[in-house]
Amino acid sequence: MMFSAPALLLLSGLLAVPALPHPHALPGGVPLQEASTAQEVEPGPLHDLGQALLIDAKRVIVRPGEELADAQVLVDGGRIVAVGTGLVAPEGARRLSGQVLMAGLIDPWSAVGLDGNSISDRTASAAARAVDALDPYAYDNLRQDALEAGVTSVRVGIGRDGRIGGLSAFVRNDPNFDLTRSVLRSDAAISTAIGAQPNSDAFTRLDEVDRLIAELEKGKRQVESQADYEKKLAEWNKAIAEKVAELEKEFKKAKRDREKEVEEAKKAKKEHKDKAYKEDKKPKAPRYDADAVELARLYTGELPLIVEIERAPEIRALLEKTKAYPRLRLVLAGATDARFFQEELAERRIPVIVLPQRRDLGGVVAHDELALAADLHEAGVTVLFGSGGRDAQATRDLPLFAALAVGRGLDREAALAALTTVPARLLDLGHRLGSVERGKDADLVLLSGDPLSTTTRVQAVLLAGELAFEAP
Amino acid sequence: MIERLLTATALFAVLAATPTSAATPTVGLALRGESNGAAGSDAARTETARVETGSERPVAVETEAPPTAPPTAARELVALRADVVHLGDGRSVEGATVLLENGRVRAVGKDLAVPEGTPVQVLKGHLAPGFVLANSYLLPGNERFDSTRAFLPDASIVHAFRADTEGLSKALRAGVTTVLLSPAENNVVGGRTAVVKTAGKRVLSPGAHLSVSLSTAAVDDRRYPTSFSGLIAELRQQLVAGEGAYGEVKGGKLPLLVYARDRHQVVRAVELGREFGIRGVLVGASLAGEQLALLKESGWTVVFDTPGAGASERMLDAMAAYAAGGAPFAFSYSSADDLRFAAAQLLRRGVSPDVLMRALTSGGANAAGVGANVGRLERGLDGDMVLWSGHPLELTSSPRAVYVDGALVHRAPQIPGAAH
């Protein structure tokens, strides 16, 4: 929906943020030529360009369901510094114009940048990090292909075939990939898979659920033993402090008594022995276990747990057994049979990363998984799209997945949200990515038409305010 | 050529010549030629062959008269008007009307005057010819592949055609109305292909091509031939001898369907074609775009397989280059979504939607040898049409209704996502 009056509302809303008053965000767009925008905004995590960029678009998708017609977006220092209509470029600013501007697309289930062994690793444990498996010197072409399709960032996970996978990385699809600059999060989630082996039988799969639960239990124990240790340590510290206070209070008397005792001992020609204080031993910290520390973060809901799971029996088992962990942030991926559990998924706010493509991975309704996104959304389940985490090239096709899902009945707005705001929030980067709003990272895509149309071409892509791709 | 193949004797010859094999368990034939009463014309004849494949449910294989048959006495007229009508040759007309008579197209036009009393349906969306796929992987593997013999020149895949195959109805729901059935590429010579409709049990052609495989799958170290050289030597031997189906091929009567995936296999197919005066289609030549000049000059038509998500850039770039290069091409059918996904990939690489629509309709029909029956909305052709909710190549569009021979054979529920 296009509207122009809310443009002002939006701007005034932005102006209400006291920390970042910005001259370019004034309604009417009167520019203050002398203002250097770069100093007003916290520098972005990547490069400080020192040169602003004004993007002019016929349609700005601020966030799904909220759009501006004939609007401008001002980018500086790697961030969006103003969004509105009638903005004028500051002096020296570069210009870019096109039809549709939106936030860069996010693939929350990708394989870009990882080698096959790391993806499927049987022995990876919770503390293993995907970021340590990324090769910054390889796969540039895959990052480039994804970028040219408008996919600006991805979550990549490792250790699919282990009892629990390692820490996922959330990275930018930067063709000039850099391990410090391009990594937005080295602990975006922990991901694993149930029944990912092509010929796994039902008992093996249920066993895999139990193993996963055992890992969660490990996390729970870690939390409990840590809490127990901290409690005991506090008690011990308190006891020591009390004793010290008591001793200090009676210090003079104790000193006199001692001197007297020493004198008497001397007279009696005996050796003087100081009184020994018997206190409890200091409690010992639980043995450091890197895996348990990460599993504890799962248990407390600090990290989301993304489980690739397809068939009804194991989904049922997983949902049943995770009820004992109320703070767990469970996310299902694939979930071909999720329809059977859609009420529960909606009620427990468990999102599903859908892969709207024929895969024949099993599941009762595997033949109709293309309509899964629409059905789940209808039932109130939060839906995302992912490229499946196996084939790195498939990340490039993320926008086409969304279009296919719309063809099978998914609401367009929900499809766009599933590509932008929802994955950003899920991976705890909602404050930086997913929408075209002031203060967010300038990871933006300029398109020749509607994002879900097959004839639309990507005209330009910005990564942290830097032009990473421009169509010839 | 279609007419020739459809004569009762030719059909009988094809059916009778097929040996009983693992692929066609028991073939009981009851062949009758009879005059089509409704048509009331000598030219319009229907041959019905009953093919029993060992199960209790016989499959009726009907072949209808060629579309040149004169209009019947009992005229049933109906007109469909849509926001956009795609003609199948790449063109589209806004707000056009399609006039159907007895299931065939009588006229198409923007301000078409329809005879008085003709019911006119006004439809929202795009009306396009049903997709025609010049190869498919719909039949079960064991019906397409004979593991004991590499050369089966007398086989016909039409015996494996079962109208109740689930894949056919899936294809129909996805807007595919005609498909070519092919033997697998494991057989060097797999026999004759067949062209069938996805609804109505109709066989449009019981022998559109002779299927030949130059792909690596045809070279099997457990049976002869075990090398490419051996394979080509045996093929040449058979073509020079020119008996049976090979004779028809050599004489240009029967086109070839050649599995040629790698570029060197394409070159070999083109060389064989030159040597023996053969034409036909090349299936799976995904890098054909890198051999555009060679293929354009050779006269072969490429039938592309449809890669799903994650297809390699090189392959997609080559496909796009071929599609944009002006040479004729068509697509294989593996799944409805892969098909439209592949089209979307090519659109994103700048191939024109008109070129792709042509390849999916008349291009496919021409490659399958049934261009005179289906693939275009043009006078005399079958009324095989799909009503799409938007442009057929938008992935956000979906088929709302499918018509075969003028009859509504599928209608999508109101809310696509809620149909389970």
Side-chain angles (χ1 to χ4, degrees), chain A residues 145 357-358 367-368 370-371 375 391 393-394 396-397 399-401 403-404 406-409 412 451-457, chain B residues 170 308-313 316 334-335 337-338 341 344-345 347-350 353 393-398 416-418 420:
Chain A
D145 295 342
Q357 193 209 0
R358 184 183 57 94
H367 62 280
D368 210 8
L370 283 161
D375 289 355
D391 180 356
Q393 191 67 272
R396 171 198 64 197
D397 302 328
L400 298 181
F401 291 144
L404 266 180
V406 170
R408 296 299 296 264
R412 275 173 183 268
L452 297 175
S453 171
T454 47
T455 48
T456 294
R457 314 286 289 275
Chain B
K170 263 190 183 175
S312 85
E313 283 283 309
L316 291 172
S334 53
S335 88
D337 292 299
D338 280 356
F341 211 82
Q345 299 275 26
L347 284 172
R348 291 221 152 177
R349 280 167 180 74
L393 296 180
E394 286 289 2
L395 295 179
T396 51
S397 305
S398 58
H420 307 289

Short mmCIF file of all heavy atoms in Angstrom, two decimals, chain A residues 145 357-358 367-368 370-371 375 391 393-394 396-397 399-401 403-404 406-409 412 451-457, chain B residues 170 308-313 316 334-335 337-338 341 344-345 347-350 353 393-398 416-418 420:
data_model
loop_
_atom_site.label_atom_id
_atom_site.label_comp_id
_atom_site.label_asym_id
_atom_site.label_seq_id
_atom_site.Cartn_x
_atom_site.Cartn_y
_atom_site.Cartn_z
N ASP A 145 26.68 -14.47 -6.48
CA ASP A 145 25.41 -14.88 -7.08
C ASP A 145 24.24 -14.57 -6.15
O ASP A 145 23.19 -14.10 -6.58
CB ASP A 145 25.41 -16.39 -7.39
CG ASP A 145 26.43 -16.75 -8.46
OD1 ASP A 145 26.87 -15.82 -9.18
OD2 ASP A 145 26.80 -17.92 -8.57
N GLN A 357 10.22 -26.13 -1.95
CA GLN A 357 10.74 -26.78 -3.14
C GLN A 357 10.59 -28.28 -2.95
O GLN A 357 10.72 -28.79 -1.86
CB GLN A 357 12.22 -26.42 -3.30
CG GLN A 357 12.76 -26.78 -4.64
CD GLN A 357 14.23 -27.10 -4.56
OE1 GLN A 357 14.84 -27.05 -3.51
NE2 GLN A 357 14.79 -27.46 -5.69
N ARG A 358 10.32 -28.97 -4.03
CA ARG A 358 10.15 -30.41 -3.97
C ARG A 358 11.48 -31.06 -3.58
O ARG A 358 12.52 -30.80 -4.15
CB ARG A 358 9.75 -30.89 -5.36
CG ARG A 358 9.45 -32.35 -5.48
CD ARG A 358 9.16 -32.65 -6.92
NE ARG A 358 10.28 -32.27 -7.77
CZ ARG A 358 11.24 -33.10 -8.15
NH1 ARG A 358 11.20 -34.33 -7.77
NH2 ARG A 358 12.21 -32.69 -8.92
N HIS A 367 4.51 -34.40 -0.80
CA HIS A 367 4.21 -34.05 -2.18
C HIS A 367 3.56 -32.68 -2.31
O HIS A 367 3.44 -32.15 -3.37
CB HIS A 367 3.31 -35.11 -2.81
CG HIS A 367 1.99 -35.22 -2.10
ND1 HIS A 367 1.85 -35.92 -0.93
CD2 HIS A 367 0.78 -34.71 -2.39
CE1 HIS A 367 0.59 -35.85 -0.54
NE2 HIS A 367 -0.07 -35.12 -1.40
N ASP A 368 3.11 -32.14 -1.19
CA ASP A 368 2.41 -30.86 -1.29
C ASP A 368 3.04 -29.80 -0.41
O ASP A 368 2.37 -28.92 0.09
CB ASP A 368 0.94 -31.06 -0.92
CG ASP A 368 0.06 -30.06 -1.66
OD1 ASP A 368 0.59 -29.36 -2.53
OD2 ASP A 368 -1.12 -29.97 -1.35
N LEU A 370 4.73 -27.36 -1.10
CA LEU A 370 4.76 -26.00 -1.63
C LEU A 370 3.69 -25.12 -1.00
O LEU A 370 3.84 -23.92 -0.92
CB LEU A 370 4.55 -26.05 -3.13
CG LEU A 370 5.81 -26.47 -3.85
CD1 LEU A 370 5.50 -26.97 -5.22
CD2 LEU A 370 6.77 -25.32 -3.89
N ALA A 371 2.60 -25.72 -0.57
CA ALA A 371 1.53 -24.94 0.03
C ALA A 371 1.71 -24.83 1.54
O ALA A 371 0.89 -24.20 2.20
CB ALA A 371 0.18 -25.56 -0.31
N ASP A 375 -0.39 -22.51 4.40
CA ASP A 375 -1.20 -23.17 5.41
C ASP A 375 -0.76 -22.79 6.82
O ASP A 375 -1.58 -22.50 7.69
CB ASP A 375 -1.12 -24.69 5.25
CG ASP A 375 -1.86 -25.16 4.01
OD1 ASP A 375 -2.49 -24.31 3.36
OD2 ASP A 375 -1.79 -26.35 3.69
N ASP A 391 22.75 -26.95 -0.39
CA ASP A 391 23.27 -26.49 -1.67
C ASP A 391 23.47 -24.97 -1.60
O ASP A 391 22.51 -24.22 -1.51
CB ASP A 391 22.23 -26.86 -2.75
CG ASP A 391 22.68 -26.43 -4.13
OD1 ASP A 391 23.74 -25.77 -4.23
OD2 ASP A 391 21.97 -26.74 -5.09
N GLN A 393 24.40 -22.88 -3.73
CA GLN A 393 23.91 -22.11 -4.88
C GLN A 393 22.43 -21.75 -4.72
O GLN A 393 21.95 -20.79 -5.32
CB GLN A 393 24.15 -22.92 -6.16
CG GLN A 393 23.94 -22.19 -7.46
CD GLN A 393 24.95 -21.09 -7.71
OE1 GLN A 393 24.77 -19.95 -7.30
NE2 GLN A 393 26.02 -21.42 -8.39
N ALA A 394 21.70 -22.55 -3.91
CA ALA A 394 20.25 -22.34 -3.79
C ALA A 394 19.89 -21.06 -3.06
O ALA A 394 18.77 -20.57 -3.18
CB ALA A 394 19.60 -23.54 -3.10
N ARG A 396 20.80 -18.23 -3.81
CA ARG A 396 20.48 -17.31 -4.90
C ARG A 396 18.99 -17.35 -5.25
O ARG A 396 18.42 -16.36 -5.70
CB ARG A 396 21.32 -17.74 -6.13
CG ARG A 396 20.99 -17.04 -7.42
CD ARG A 396 21.54 -17.84 -8.60
NE ARG A 396 20.87 -19.14 -8.67
CZ ARG A 396 21.34 -20.18 -9.36
NH1 ARG A 396 22.48 -20.09 -10.00
NH2 ARG A 396 20.68 -21.32 -9.39
N ASP A 397 18.34 -18.50 -5.03
CA ASP A 397 16.96 -18.68 -5.47
C ASP A 397 15.93 -18.35 -4.40
O ASP A 397 14.74 -18.59 -4.59
CB ASP A 397 16.77 -20.11 -5.97
CG ASP A 397 17.74 -20.43 -7.11
OD1 ASP A 397 18.06 -19.51 -7.87
OD2 ASP A 397 18.16 -21.59 -7.24
N PRO A 399 14.45 -15.53 -3.37
CA PRO A 399 13.26 -14.76 -3.73
C PRO A 399 12.26 -15.56 -4.58
O PRO A 399 11.06 -15.34 -4.50
CB PRO A 399 13.80 -13.56 -4.51
CG PRO A 399 15.25 -13.78 -4.70
CD PRO A 399 15.69 -14.87 -3.78
N LEU A 400 12.78 -16.51 -5.36
CA LEU A 400 11.88 -17.32 -6.19
C LEU A 400 11.05 -18.27 -5.31
O LEU A 400 9.90 -18.56 -5.60
CB LEU A 400 12.67 -18.12 -7.23
CG LEU A 400 13.46 -17.28 -8.25
CD1 LEU A 400 14.17 -18.18 -9.25
CD2 LEU A 400 12.56 -16.31 -8.98
N PHE A 401 11.67 -18.76 -4.22
CA PHE A 401 10.92 -19.61 -3.28
C PHE A 401 9.71 -18.84 -2.75
O PHE A 401 8.60 -19.37 -2.65
CB PHE A 401 11.78 -20.00 -2.08
CG PHE A 401 12.90 -20.94 -2.39
CD1 PHE A 401 14.11 -20.83 -1.74
CD2 PHE A 401 12.74 -21.96 -3.31
CE1 PHE A 401 15.15 -21.70 -2.00
CE2 PHE A 401 13.77 -22.84 -3.58
CZ PHE A 401 14.98 -22.70 -2.93
N ALA A 403 8.18 -16.34 -4.09
CA ALA A 403 7.18 -16.15 -5.14
C ALA A 403 6.35 -17.42 -5.33
O ALA A 403 5.13 -17.36 -5.47
CB ALA A 403 7.87 -15.75 -6.45
N LEU A 404 7.02 -18.57 -5.32
CA LEU A 404 6.31 -19.85 -5.45
C LEU A 404 5.29 -20.02 -4.33
O LEU A 404 4.17 -20.48 -4.56
CB LEU A 404 7.30 -21.01 -5.37
CG LEU A 404 7.87 -21.59 -6.67
CD1 LEU A 404 8.81 -22.72 -6.34
CD2 LEU A 404 6.77 -22.06 -7.59
N VAL A 406 3.82 -17.69 -2.67
CA VAL A 406 2.70 -16.78 -2.91
C VAL A 406 1.76 -17.39 -3.95
O VAL A 406 0.54 -17.33 -3.83
CB VAL A 406 3.20 -15.39 -3.36
CG1 VAL A 406 2.06 -14.52 -3.85
CG2 VAL A 406 3.91 -14.70 -2.19
N GLY A 407 2.35 -18.03 -4.98
CA GLY A 407 1.54 -18.72 -5.98
C GLY A 407 0.70 -19.83 -5.37
O GLY A 407 -0.31 -20.23 -5.94
N ARG A 408 1.13 -20.32 -4.23
CA ARG A 408 0.36 -21.37 -3.56
C ARG A 408 -0.45 -20.81 -2.38
O ARG A 408 -0.79 -21.53 -1.47
CB ARG A 408 1.29 -22.49 -3.09
CG ARG A 408 1.96 -23.21 -4.22
CD ARG A 408 0.96 -23.88 -5.14
NE ARG A 408 0.19 -24.91 -4.48
CZ ARG A 408 0.51 -26.20 -4.51
NH1 ARG A 408 1.54 -26.61 -5.19
NH2 ARG A 408 -0.24 -27.07 -3.88
N GLY A 409 -0.71 -19.52 -2.42
CA GLY A 409 -1.69 -18.97 -1.50
C GLY A 409 -1.17 -18.15 -0.35
O GLY A 409 -1.95 -17.64 0.45
N ARG A 412 1.16 -11.91 0.25
CA ARG A 412 2.38 -11.26 -0.24
C ARG A 412 3.18 -10.58 0.87
O ARG A 412 4.41 -10.66 0.92
CB ARG A 412 2.05 -10.21 -1.29
CG ARG A 412 1.91 -10.77 -2.68
CD ARG A 412 1.42 -9.72 -3.65
NE ARG A 412 1.23 -10.32 -4.95
CZ ARG A 412 2.16 -10.37 -5.91
NH1 ARG A 412 3.34 -9.81 -5.70
NH2 ARG A 412 1.93 -10.95 -7.06
N PRO A 451 9.36 -7.13 -5.84
CA PRO A 451 10.35 -8.14 -5.42
C PRO A 451 9.94 -9.58 -5.72
O PRO A 451 10.80 -10.45 -5.81
CB PRO A 451 10.47 -7.91 -3.91
CG PRO A 451 9.47 -6.90 -3.52
CD PRO A 451 8.95 -6.24 -4.74
N LEU A 452 8.65 -9.84 -5.87
CA LEU A 452 8.22 -11.22 -6.08
C LEU A 452 7.94 -11.54 -7.55
O LEU A 452 7.49 -12.64 -7.87
CB LEU A 452 6.97 -11.51 -5.23
CG LEU A 452 7.18 -11.41 -3.72
CD1 LEU A 452 5.88 -11.59 -2.98
CD2 LEU A 452 8.20 -12.45 -3.25
N SER A 453 8.19 -10.58 -8.43
CA SER A 453 7.94 -10.85 -9.85
C SER A 453 9.15 -11.50 -10.49
O SER A 453 10.29 -11.16 -10.21
CB SER A 453 7.62 -9.53 -10.57
OG SER A 453 7.60 -9.76 -11.97
N THR A 454 8.90 -12.46 -11.39
CA THR A 454 10.01 -13.17 -12.02
C THR A 454 10.78 -12.29 -13.00
O THR A 454 11.92 -12.58 -13.33
CB THR A 454 9.51 -14.41 -12.78
OG1 THR A 454 8.39 -14.05 -13.56
CG2 THR A 454 9.14 -15.52 -11.84
N THR A 455 10.13 -11.23 -13.48
CA THR A 455 10.82 -10.40 -14.47
C THR A 455 11.64 -9.28 -13.80
O THR A 455 12.34 -8.55 -14.47
CB THR A 455 9.81 -9.77 -15.45
OG1 THR A 455 8.75 -9.20 -14.70
CG2 THR A 455 9.26 -10.82 -16.38
N THR A 456 11.53 -9.18 -12.50
CA THR A 456 12.27 -8.14 -11.78
C THR A 456 13.77 -8.46 -11.77
O THR A 456 14.17 -9.60 -11.57
CB THR A 456 11.74 -8.03 -10.34
OG1 THR A 456 10.42 -7.55 -10.40
CG2 THR A 456 12.60 -7.09 -9.51
N ARG A 457 14.56 -7.43 -11.99
CA ARG A 457 16.01 -7.61 -11.93
C ARG A 457 16.55 -6.77 -10.78
O ARG A 457 16.03 -5.70 -10.48
CB ARG A 457 16.66 -7.13 -13.25
CG ARG A 457 15.96 -7.61 -14.50
CD ARG A 457 16.20 -9.08 -14.78
NE ARG A 457 17.57 -9.35 -15.22
CZ ARG A 457 17.95 -9.24 -16.50
NH1 ARG A 457 17.13 -8.85 -17.42
NH2 ARG A 457 19.19 -9.55 -16.83
N LYS B 170 -1.12 -34.64 -11.58
CA LYS B 170 -0.36 -33.53 -10.99
C LYS B 170 0.03 -32.52 -12.06
O LYS B 170 -0.09 -31.32 -11.89
CB LYS B 170 0.92 -34.06 -10.35
CG LYS B 170 0.84 -34.32 -8.87
CD LYS B 170 2.25 -34.59 -8.41
CE LYS B 170 2.36 -34.95 -6.97
NZ LYS B 170 3.73 -35.31 -6.62
N GLY B 308 15.94 -27.50 -10.80
CA GLY B 308 15.25 -26.82 -9.69
C GLY B 308 16.17 -25.78 -9.08
O GLY B 308 17.04 -25.23 -9.76
N ALA B 309 15.97 -25.52 -7.81
CA ALA B 309 16.80 -24.53 -7.14
C ALA B 309 18.25 -25.00 -7.10
O ALA B 309 18.52 -26.19 -7.12
CB ALA B 309 16.29 -24.33 -5.72
N GLY B 310 19.15 -24.07 -7.09
CA GLY B 310 20.56 -24.40 -6.94
C GLY B 310 21.25 -24.83 -8.21
O GLY B 310 22.37 -25.34 -8.17
N ALA B 311 20.59 -24.65 -9.35
CA ALA B 311 21.25 -25.02 -10.61
C ALA B 311 22.50 -24.17 -10.82
O ALA B 311 22.56 -23.04 -10.36
CB ALA B 311 20.29 -24.81 -11.77
N SER B 312 23.47 -24.75 -11.53
CA SER B 312 24.73 -24.02 -11.67
C SER B 312 24.55 -22.81 -12.58
O SER B 312 23.75 -22.81 -13.51
CB SER B 312 25.82 -24.94 -12.22
OG SER B 312 25.76 -24.97 -13.64
N GLU B 313 25.31 -21.79 -12.26
CA GLU B 313 25.25 -20.55 -13.03
C GLU B 313 25.62 -20.81 -14.49
O GLU B 313 25.01 -20.26 -15.39
CB GLU B 313 26.24 -19.53 -12.44
CG GLU B 313 25.78 -18.87 -11.18
CD GLU B 313 24.75 -17.78 -11.43
OE1 GLU B 313 24.99 -16.90 -12.26
OE2 GLU B 313 23.69 -17.83 -10.78
N LEU B 316 22.67 -22.32 -16.31
CA LEU B 316 21.58 -21.36 -16.52
C LEU B 316 21.98 -20.30 -17.53
O LEU B 316 21.18 -19.90 -18.38
CB LEU B 316 21.20 -20.72 -15.18
CG LEU B 316 20.53 -21.67 -14.19
CD1 LEU B 316 20.38 -21.00 -12.83
CD2 LEU B 316 19.17 -22.12 -14.70
N SER B 334 9.72 -32.67 -15.24
CA SER B 334 10.00 -33.53 -14.09
C SER B 334 9.04 -33.17 -12.96
O SER B 334 8.47 -34.03 -12.33
CB SER B 334 11.45 -33.42 -13.66
OG SER B 334 11.80 -32.08 -13.46
N SER B 335 8.84 -31.88 -12.73
CA SER B 335 7.80 -31.46 -11.81
C SER B 335 7.34 -30.07 -12.22
O SER B 335 8.08 -29.31 -12.84
CB SER B 335 8.30 -31.44 -10.37
OG SER B 335 8.87 -30.19 -10.06
N ASP B 337 6.77 -27.45 -10.54
CA ASP B 337 7.45 -26.30 -9.97
C ASP B 337 8.85 -26.14 -10.54
O ASP B 337 9.30 -25.03 -10.76
CB ASP B 337 7.45 -26.40 -8.46
CG ASP B 337 6.04 -26.23 -7.93
OD1 ASP B 337 5.47 -25.15 -8.16
OD2 ASP B 337 5.50 -27.17 -7.35
N ASP B 338 9.50 -27.27 -10.82
CA ASP B 338 10.81 -27.17 -11.46
C ASP B 338 10.68 -26.48 -12.81
O ASP B 338 11.54 -25.69 -13.22
CB ASP B 338 11.42 -28.55 -11.65
CG ASP B 338 12.05 -29.08 -10.36
OD1 ASP B 338 12.06 -28.33 -9.38
OD2 ASP B 338 12.50 -30.23 -10.35
N PHE B 341 10.09 -22.86 -12.23
CA PHE B 341 11.30 -22.34 -11.59
C PHE B 341 12.37 -22.09 -12.65
O PHE B 341 13.04 -21.06 -12.65
CB PHE B 341 11.80 -23.38 -10.58
CG PHE B 341 12.50 -22.79 -9.40
CD1 PHE B 341 11.78 -22.29 -8.33
CD2 PHE B 341 13.88 -22.73 -9.36
CE1 PHE B 341 12.42 -21.74 -7.24
CE2 PHE B 341 14.53 -22.18 -8.28
CZ PHE B 341 13.80 -21.69 -7.20
N ALA B 344 11.56 -19.12 -14.62
CA ALA B 344 11.85 -17.91 -13.84
C ALA B 344 13.34 -17.59 -13.85
O ALA B 344 13.75 -16.44 -13.97
CB ALA B 344 11.35 -18.09 -12.41
N GLN B 345 14.16 -18.65 -13.74
CA GLN B 345 15.62 -18.44 -13.77
C GLN B 345 16.04 -17.79 -15.09
O GLN B 345 16.92 -16.93 -15.11
CB GLN B 345 16.35 -19.78 -13.64
CG GLN B 345 16.06 -20.54 -12.37
CD GLN B 345 16.95 -20.08 -11.23
OE1 GLN B 345 17.41 -18.94 -11.24
NE2 GLN B 345 17.17 -20.95 -10.27
N LEU B 347 14.08 -16.01 -17.11
CA LEU B 347 13.57 -14.64 -17.15
C LEU B 347 14.50 -13.70 -16.41
O LEU B 347 14.78 -12.60 -16.85
CB LEU B 347 12.18 -14.57 -16.51
CG LEU B 347 11.01 -15.12 -17.32
CD1 LEU B 347 9.77 -15.16 -16.46
CD2 LEU B 347 10.77 -14.28 -18.55
N ARG B 348 14.99 -14.18 -15.25
CA ARG B 348 15.89 -13.34 -14.45
C ARG B 348 17.21 -13.11 -15.17
O ARG B 348 17.96 -12.22 -14.81
CB ARG B 348 16.14 -13.99 -13.09
CG ARG B 348 14.90 -13.95 -12.22
CD ARG B 348 15.22 -13.61 -10.79
NE ARG B 348 14.05 -12.95 -10.18
CZ ARG B 348 13.99 -12.57 -8.92
NH1 ARG B 348 14.99 -12.78 -8.12
NH2 ARG B 348 12.93 -11.97 -8.44
N ARG B 349 17.48 -13.96 -16.17
CA ARG B 349 18.69 -13.75 -16.98
C ARG B 349 18.38 -13.03 -18.29
O ARG B 349 19.17 -13.07 -19.22
CB ARG B 349 19.36 -15.10 -17.24
CG ARG B 349 20.17 -15.52 -16.05
CD ARG B 349 20.60 -16.95 -16.10
NE ARG B 349 21.37 -17.24 -14.90
CZ ARG B 349 20.83 -17.38 -13.69
NH1 ARG B 349 19.52 -17.28 -13.54
NH2 ARG B 349 21.57 -17.61 -12.63
N GLY B 350 17.20 -12.45 -18.34
CA GLY B 350 16.90 -11.56 -19.47
C GLY B 350 16.24 -12.20 -20.67
O GLY B 350 16.04 -11.54 -21.69
N PRO B 353 9.79 -13.14 -21.93
CA PRO B 353 8.68 -14.02 -21.55
C PRO B 353 8.00 -14.65 -22.77
O PRO B 353 7.53 -15.78 -22.72
CB PRO B 353 7.71 -13.09 -20.81
CG PRO B 353 8.46 -11.85 -20.52
CD PRO B 353 9.63 -11.78 -21.43
N LEU B 393 4.01 -17.08 -16.32
CA LEU B 393 5.41 -17.25 -15.93
C LEU B 393 5.75 -16.58 -14.61
O LEU B 393 6.87 -16.67 -14.12
CB LEU B 393 6.33 -16.72 -17.04
CG LEU B 393 6.23 -17.48 -18.36
CD1 LEU B 393 7.17 -16.90 -19.39
CD2 LEU B 393 6.52 -18.96 -18.16
N GLU B 394 4.78 -15.88 -14.03
CA GLU B 394 5.00 -15.36 -12.68
C GLU B 394 4.83 -16.53 -11.71
O GLU B 394 3.83 -17.24 -11.76
CB GLU B 394 3.98 -14.27 -12.34
CG GLU B 394 4.20 -12.94 -13.03
CD GLU B 394 5.41 -12.19 -12.52
OE1 GLU B 394 6.12 -12.70 -11.63
OE2 GLU B 394 5.65 -11.08 -13.02
N LEU B 395 5.80 -16.70 -10.83
CA LEU B 395 5.67 -17.79 -9.87
C LEU B 395 4.54 -17.54 -8.88
O LEU B 395 4.03 -18.46 -8.25
CB LEU B 395 6.99 -17.98 -9.11
CG LEU B 395 8.17 -18.44 -9.95
CD1 LEU B 395 9.42 -18.57 -9.10
CD2 LEU B 395 7.88 -19.75 -10.64
N THR B 396 4.14 -16.28 -8.79
CA THR B 396 3.04 -15.96 -7.88
C THR B 396 1.68 -16.29 -8.49
O THR B 396 0.66 -16.22 -7.82
CB THR B 396 3.08 -14.47 -7.50
OG1 THR B 396 3.17 -13.71 -8.71
CG2 THR B 396 4.27 -14.13 -6.64
N SER B 397 1.66 -16.63 -9.79
CA SER B 397 0.40 -17.02 -10.44
C SER B 397 0.16 -18.50 -10.22
O SER B 397 1.08 -19.27 -9.99
CB SER B 397 0.46 -16.76 -11.95
OG SER B 397 0.78 -15.42 -12.21
N SER B 398 -1.10 -18.90 -10.35
CA SER B 398 -1.41 -20.32 -10.27
C SER B 398 -2.53 -20.65 -11.25
O SER B 398 -3.31 -19.77 -11.61
CB SER B 398 -1.81 -20.70 -8.85
OG SER B 398 -2.93 -19.93 -8.45
N PRO B 416 -6.07 -21.11 -2.84
CA PRO B 416 -5.16 -22.19 -3.20
C PRO B 416 -4.54 -22.87 -1.99
O PRO B 416 -4.43 -24.09 -1.94
CB PRO B 416 -4.08 -21.51 -4.04
CG PRO B 416 -4.56 -20.14 -4.31
CD PRO B 416 -5.67 -19.82 -3.37
N GLY B 417 -4.18 -22.09 -1.00
CA GLY B 417 -3.49 -22.67 0.14
C GLY B 417 -4.38 -23.53 1.02
O GLY B 417 -3.91 -24.35 1.78
N ALA B 418 -5.69 -23.35 0.91
CA ALA B 418 -6.59 -24.04 1.83
C ALA B 418 -7.13 -25.35 1.26
O ALA B 418 -8.06 -25.91 1.78
CB ALA B 418 -7.75 -23.12 2.18
N HIS B 420 -6.81 -28.73 1.09
CA HIS B 420 -6.22 -30.02 1.44
C HIS B 420 -7.25 -30.90 2.12
O HIS B 420 -7.58 -30.71 3.24
CB HIS B 420 -5.00 -29.82 2.34
CG HIS B 420 -4.04 -28.87 1.74
ND1 HIS B 420 -3.27 -29.19 0.65
CD2 HIS B 420 -3.76 -27.59 2.01
CE1 HIS B 420 -2.56 -28.14 0.31
NE2 HIS B 420 -2.84 -27.17 1.12
#
